[in-house]
Amino acid sequence: MILCSGEALIDMLPRESAQGEPCFAPVPGGAVFNTAIALARLGAPATLFTGLSRDLFGRRLAAALEADGVDAGLAVRSDRPTTLAFVDLSDGQASYAFYDEATAARALTTADLPDEAALAPVRAAFFGGISLAAEPCGEAHAALMTRLAPRAVTMLDPNVRPTFVADEAAYRARIGAMLAQADIVKVSDEDLGWLMGPGDATDHARALIGRGARLVCVTEGARGVTAHHAAGHLHVPARRAQVVDTVGAGDTFNAGLLAGLDEAGALTKGWFGTPDEDVLEAALKLGVAAAGVTVSRAGANPPTRSELA
């Protein structure tokens, strides 16, 4: 089982009404939610640890998880509202305004963490998204990573939203500690610059490996992705696609990478000591191909494995 730990929310996507007026359409989303959905659609067993509201939007999120076969048994249900993310699109690129105060996902604490019996089937875990920048849920997700890291493969995608970060020093400290525990780190080139400062992406990736990461994947949009590990690096170009918007593209790549490694039996702590280049390349290509489909349609709508075939 691959556990995804982080936010589930509603993306309010810009649309136009039948009368030609601007409006927003509510669509299930959130970086970690999207990754869980994409994993399930690609055939990987996925479960989601998050806070889910019992409100209208929370029921829609739960229904979407059930429809795609994501196990929501670890989700913590409450009567708090669902986080809303209003999306602004400019030339297909998304920016966000989050309404997250006192919501179901944000209110998670370390007391809500699953017990060891519930976590026993977890062989890999994914962390990321805005949940790492908010309190008290950020502390809870970081604590879960610390519990799982000694025995399960862990992946981190900070997916930095600078405008959402209220306490930059605390956020950087949390992300820094999680980067040191992660087997896999995925960062966009923009995230890498925000986290590490000006400089060469390869040098930054090598620095992250020196701090504990085993595999660092740097995505560069239309240029593709470069995976760095202790023995070298591997570049996979992006697929040509007619871009509608980029919502969920990085989340889909994360799922494709994990699903590809899982299919090859590579989601073990030992595999990352000397990663097989052929296995790694195939997993990267799956992530890139899946992300290419996602950007070609509106919203975070990852492809199924049959669509990729």
Side-chain angles (χ1 to χ4, degrees), residues 112-161:
D112 295 312
L113 295 181
D115 60 27
E116 291 306 318
L119 293 174
V122 174
R123 63 178 179 273
F126 172 82
F127 300 85
I130 64 168
S131 292
L132 301 182
E135 301 298 347
C137 63
E139 181 182 357
H141 294 296
L144 182 56
M145 185 181 198
T146 297
R147 280 174 55 182
L148 289 171
R151 66 167 182 85
V153 172
T154 55
M155 179 175 180
L156 173 67
D157 176 5
N159 199 16
V160 179
R161 305 294 183 201

Side-chain angles (χ1 to χ4, degrees), residues 187-189 192-193 196-211 213 215-220 225-235:
V187 284
S188 68
D189 48 354
L192 194 61
M196 307 290 285
D200 179 72
T202 297
D203 290 341
H204 285 332
R206 304 304 298 177
L208 290 175
I209 290 172
R211 288 164 58 177
L215 180 68
V216 177
C217 298
V218 181
T219 57
E220 298 179 275
V225 57
T226 303
H228 303 262
H229 53 82
H233 66 273
L234 176 64
H235 179 75

Side-chain angles (χ1 to χ4, degrees), residues 205-266:
R206 304 304 298 177
L208 290 175
I209 290 172
R211 288 164 58 177
R214 317 290 292 283
L215 180 68
V216 177
C217 298
V218 181
T219 57
E220 298 179 275
R223 291 184 291 276
V225 57
T226 303
H228 303 262
H229 53 82
H233 66 273
L234 176 64
H235 179 75
V236 171
R239 294 275 189 98
R240 294 182 66 87
Q242 184 68 40
V243 177
V244 174
D245 67 51
T246 60
V247 178
D251 312 325
T252 305
F253 170 81
N254 294 333
L257 175 64
L258 287 170
L261 294 176
D262 185 46
E263 284 182 8

Side-chain angles (χ1 to χ4, degrees), residues 19-244:
Q19 292 73 36
E21 299 169 321
C23 60
F24 288 92
V27 177
V32 180
F33 175 94
N34 293 339
T35 299
I37 292 289
L39 277 167
R41 291 186 183 182
L42 292 173
T47 186
L48 178 66
F49 172 65
T50 191
L52 279 183
S53 175
R54 297 187 185 95
D55 68 9
L56 167 68
F57 293 131
R59 294 195 298 273
R60 181 174 290 194
L61 288 165
L65 293 169
E66 182 178 3
D68 278 305
V70 176
D71 180 3
L74 298 181
V76 178
R77 313 291 174 128
S78 78
D79 293 324
R80 294 175 180 273
T82 298
T83 299
L84 302 180
F86 284 81
V87 182
D88 180 49
L89 295 174
S90 177
D91 296 325
Q93 300 296 312
S95 58
Y96 300 83
F98 294 98
Y99 293 79
D100 188 51
E101 192 67 31
T103 60
R106 183 168 182 167
L108 285 179
T109 71
T110 54
D112 295 312
L113 295 181
D115 60 27
E116 291 306 318
L119 293 174
V122 174
R123 63 178 179 273
F126 172 82
F127 300 85
I130 64 168
S131 292
L132 301 182
E135 301 298 347
C137 63
E139 181 182 357
H141 294 296
L144 182 56
M145 185 181 198
T146 297
R147 280 174 55 182
L148 289 171
R151 66 167 182 85
V153 172
T154 55
M155 179 175 180
L156 173 67
D157 176 5
N159 199 16
V160 179
R161 305 294 183 201
T163 58
F164 189 76
V165 177
D167 186 338
E168 183 173 327
Y171 177 66
R172 286 187 179 276
R174 175 175 295 138
I175 293 297
M178 296 180 78
L179 287 169
Q181 296 178 80
D183 296 294
I184 308 170
V185 174
K186 196 284 295 235
V187 284
S188 68
D189 48 354
E190 293 92 348
D191 286 352
L192 194 61
W194 192 88
L195 290 166
M196 307 290 285
D200 179 72
T202 297
D203 290 341
H204 285 332
R206 304 304 298 177
L208 290 175
I209 290 172
R211 288 164 58 177
R214 317 290 292 283
L215 180 68
V216 177
C217 298
V218 181
T219 57
E220 298 179 275
R223 291 184 291 276
V225 57
T226 303
H228 303 262
H229 53 82
H233 66 273
L234 176 64
H235 179 75
V236 171
R239 294 275 189 98
R240 294 182 66 87
Q242 184 68 40
V243 177
V244 174

Side-chain angles (χ1 to χ4, degrees), residues 5-24:
S5 182
E7 76 276 357
L9 52 77
I10 294 293
D11 281 325
M12 303 297 285
L13 299 178
R15 295 289 186 266
E16 186 174 282
S17 73
Q19 292 73 36
E21 299 169 321
C23 60
F24 288 92

